[in-house]
Amino acid sequence: MEAKKLTTKEKLQIPPVMMPQQDAHERVHNVNEVPLGYTVDMAQTEAQRCLQCKNAPCVKGCPVEIDIPAFINAILEGRNRESINTIKQTNILPAVCGRVCPQEEQCQKTCVVGKSNKDVAKAVQIGKLERFAADWEMEQGEAEVPVIKASTGKRVAVVGSGPAGLTVAADTRREGHDVTIFEALHKPGGVLIYGIPEFRLPKRIVMREVKNLQKMGVTLRTNYVVGKLSTIDELFDEGFDAVFVATGAGLPLFMHIPGENLNGVYSANEYLTRANLMQAYSFPNTDTPIARAKNVAVFGGGNVAMDSARTALRLGAENVYLVYRRSKKEMPARVEEVEHAEEEGVQMMLLQNPVKILGDQNGWVKEIECIKMELGEPDESGRRRPVAVKGSEFLTPVDVVIVAIGNASNPLVPSTTPDLAVNKWGNIVAAEETLRTSKKGVFAGGDIVLGAATVILAMGQGRKAARAINEYLKTGVW
Ligand SMILES: Cc1cc2nc3c(=O)[nH]c(=O)nc-3n(C[C@H](O)[C@H](O)[C@H](O)COP(=O)(O)OP(=O)(O)OC[C@H]3O[C@@H](n4cnc5c(N)ncnc54)[C@H](O)[C@@H]3O)c2cc1C
């Protein structure tokens, strides 16, 4: 399509191009991806909406500062290879980020088109365009292997293969270091593989990125729990010169209410790991069982809660209740995820808080007791504090409960590395710009430093850490 020169006024009048998606009634019966992607025409029409602002506030809204106007202009002019190369200068996982980044809180929040329309939903659909460019590249076949500098003879150990670890592996390998990733699970990718469901992020996309790293010469050792098989000190003894710890926030938090130890109560981590990583949805074709329930309650209001609720529907539940103690406005989940969950039939039990889980005579979940809540004054998070309404308790029959109220840092590496400083939440303390820890040669980043955060923030820290590791290995200065 030839790029038409439109005035700013004309551009502002073009409505955002909606991405086609699977019908809600059909998609709850499969695990295929929900949004189907833009065609070339759709992408070029959406790209036309970008005003190509000189000061580009969208770039400042992106944690890794992708040159957004440049990649969008390249799409508009049909230069898709240039578009994806522009994105990849700062983001090694564009197909992932185009799908799961909270753009409405980042680049799209600061977009002038959205601001002029007084509606962030009407901002240029930067995330969808990023996905388009990345998917276009995948359609062209194998990705090009980047140039690797001559061997430095230095060895880097990366502990954990989530987005932070993958980023560091790529950026340090490019410098010519010998890089090994140690991953506790049998498959690499971290939350991208075991947490975020297939219908939001197809696993082939993550595996393609991992394969690219292997083509670059990165060694991957799965089923390797650092802190059990080797400590960090033992990795240095084995000859590694620097270690990057990116073990994430995989420790599930519970509510500590009566009944949480009943059969049929899962942490969201366990539930999603069974369903995603271990493919329990195709049991008995796979070895992993999962409780098939008619009525499921999910506790929480974030992305993890939405993913759990939508997974439960796909596993055949008739009623999935999402129990959240605040109102919809305060939900930390992405707006798109909440909309998708509602379209699929997840029933929102808002301003309600679980106080007890009750079981039958065999120790299986039978019902939950919740109390109604109302919103009081804002708390330290800025959100209005939920306050229980006395005497408003009520029962709801359920067979499975999924607790999705948050995750804390994995404690194993800090607990086996005495000189690695952690804060009061158990997160590893690391310098903001260099991600250096209290222990010489050890860097850390992603959720293990930030607490449960986002893919792009984990990658952003990975980039900074890699820069600092490369510098440290070059100069030897700590
Ligand atoms: C269900 C769910 C949905 C989410 N949805 C979104 C979303 O839509 N958008 C978004 O931006 N973010 C989302 N997030 C958050 C995002 O996935 C994380 O912030 C991000 O993955 C953190 O990356 P990381 O590399 O720090 O750690 P992780 O992705 O957690 O990876 C850590 C890796 O380290 C491994 N590991 C742990 N301990 C050891 C050890 N001792 N030895 C070896 N390996 C170890 C783990 O097995 C894991 O593979 C979601 C999180 C969850 C749980």
Side-chain angles (χ1 to χ4, degrees):
M1 188 171 81
E2 190 157 319
K4 278 189 264 162
K5 283 265 175 260
L6 298 180
T7 63
T8 299
K9 199 173 160 202
E10 284 169 332
K11 284 175 180 242
L12 288 173
Q13 280 166 353
I14 307 173
V17 179
M18 294 295 127
M19 189 174 270
Q21 55 184 40
Q22 267 202 80
D23 175 74
H25 299 291
E26 273 171 31
R27 70 186 190 234
V28 288
H29 301 296
N30 65 56
V31 292
N32 301 336
E33 196 170 13
V34 171
L36 301 171
Y38 277 157
T39 60
V40 173
D41 280 354
M42 285 173 180
Q44 288 185 329
T45 306
E46 185 57 33
Q48 271 193 324
R49 300 180 65 234
C50 176
L51 301 180
Q52 295 292 314
C53 306
K54 285 271 174 308
N55 61 347
C58 53
V59 176
K60 294 180 195 99
C62 169
V64 296
E65 300 198 357
I66 295 174
D67 189 345
I68 293 167
F71 98 73
I72 292 183
N73 195 43
I75 290 178
L76 179 64
E77 295 177 0
R79 291 177 283 111
N80 293 335
R81 171 64 62 199
E82 198 177 316
S83 177
I84 188 64
N85 286 347
T86 303
I87 299 171
K88 282 182 147 185
Q89 277 169 18
T90 52
N91 182 349
I92 65 150
L93 301 175
V96 173
C97 291
R99 285 169 166 81
V100 306
C101 264
Q103 292 102 5
E104 64 283 357
E105 291 297 328
Q106 299 174 341
C107 51
Q108 292 177 196
K109 191 176 184 177
T110 50
C111 168
V112 174
V113 176
K115 285 199 184 295
S116 305
N117 283 306
K118 297 191 175 50
D119 184 355
V120 69
K122 292 189 178 146
V124 175
Q125 305 294 292
I126 301 167
K128 294 187 172 75
L129 289 171
E130 182 183 23
R131 171 183 164 167
F132 166 80
D135 288 0
W136 176 88
E137 189 196 31
M138 280 193 283
E139 281 163 21
Q140 309 311 303
E142 304 264 308
E144 285 166 26
V145 178
V147 179
I148 310 289
K149 291 191 185 164
S151 173
T152 60
K154 302 279 184 191
R155 295 178 69 202
V156 178
V158 174
V159 185
S161 64
L166 296 179
T167 305
V168 166
D171 285 4
T172 52
R173 176 67 194 131
R174 265 197 285 253
E175 274 308 291
H177 305 311
D178 181 339
V179 180
T180 304
I181 302 178
F182 296 93
E183 168 53 52
L185 295 171
H186 65 281
K187 266 194 195 168
V191 171
L192 308 180
I193 282 286
Y194 80 74
I196 303 181
E198 178 78 17
F199 57 83
R200 276 214 297 133
L201 179 62
K203 303 307 154 215
R204 65 183 160 79
I205 291 173
V206 185
M207 293 320 291
R208 177 182 153 105
E209 299 305 339
V210 172
K211 207 170 132 203
N212 286 344
L213 279 181
Q214 288 176 304
K215 279 199 266 176
M216 286 166 67
V218 170
T219 304
L220 176 65
R221 297 192 63 182
T222 49
N223 295 313
Y224 198 110
V225 184
V226 172
K228 292 277 185 207
L229 291 180
S230 312
T231 61
I232 299 280
D233 284 317
E234 284 163 349
L235 290 178
F236 283 117
D237 293 344
E238 281 175 35
F240 284 98
D241 300 285
V243 177
F244 178 66
V245 182
T247 45
L251 185 72
L253 299 176
F254 284 91
M255 297 200 59
H256 303 294
I257 57 174
E260 260 183 330
N261 57 352
L262 286 164
N263 294 322
V265 179
Y266 290 88
S267 69
N269 258 29
E270 181 187 345
Y271 193 78
L272 291 171
T273 301
R274 281 176 182 268
N276 293 325
L277 182 72
M278 319 287 287
Q279 297 180 341
Y281 54 79
S282 49
F283 183 79
N285 300 326
T286 55
D287 285 341
T288 313
I290 199 163
R292 300 278 176 157
K294 201 166 150 190
N295 300 307
V296 175
V298 179
F299 300 165
N303 284 328
V304 183
M306 297 304 151
D307 284 342
S308 306
R310 297 175 68 196
T311 298
L313 281 174
R314 283 159 175 79
L315 287 170
E318 287 174 18
N319 293 298
V320 177
Y321 308 107
L322 194 122
V323 188
Y324 180 56
R325 62 197 182 131
R326 292 181 158 102
S327 73
K328 202 153 124 189
K329 208 170 120 214
E330 286 82 22
M331 275 189 169
R334 293 189 61 197
V335 177
E336 185 182 73
E337 301 316 323
V338 179
E339 282 171 8
H340 281 164
E342 286 187 314
E343 281 168 15
E344 290 168 8
V346 172
Q347 300 167 51
M348 301 289 169
M349 286 175 59
L350 302 172
L351 286 166
Q352 297 171 30
N353 202 27
V355 287
K356 204 187 282 179
I357 306 169
L358 299 105
D360 63 15
Q361 65 279 16
N362 299 319
W364 281 88
V365 172
K366 193 176 80 170
E367 48 197 0
I368 51 169
E369 184 178 313
C370 298
I371 189 164
K372 298 207 168 137
M373 311 292 281
E374 53 191 19
L375 293 179
E377 294 301 309
D379 62 15
E380 56 287 347
S381 73
R383 295 177 303 172
R384 290 177 65 192
R385 188 189 298 274
V387 185
V389 179
K390 262 201 187 132
S392 66
E393 291 89 345
F394 63 99
L395 295 174
T396 307
V398 297
D399 335 287
V400 155
V401 168
I402 305 166
V403 184
I405 58 163
N407 286 309
S409 299
N410 279 321
L412 184 59
V413 169
S415 69
T416 52
T417 319
D419 40 355
L420 195 61
V422 292
N423 65 17
K424 63 177 173 178
W425 298 285
N427 301 332
I428 295 178
V429 178
E432 199 180 325
E433 280 308 309
T434 60
L435 282 308
R436 254 186 239 163
T437 67
S438 56
K439 187 173 171 66
K440 187 172 179 210
V442 180
F443 300 75
D447 280 5
I448 187 70
V449 169
L450 296 164
T454 61
V455 172
I456 193 84
L457 290 176
M459 287 175 57
Q461 284 209 326
R463 291 231 93 168
K464 286 183 182 176
R467 225 175 287 140
I469 293 169
N470 291 336
E471 185 64 20
Y472 169 63
L473 294 181
K474 196 161 116 194
T475 62
V477 178
W478 182 248

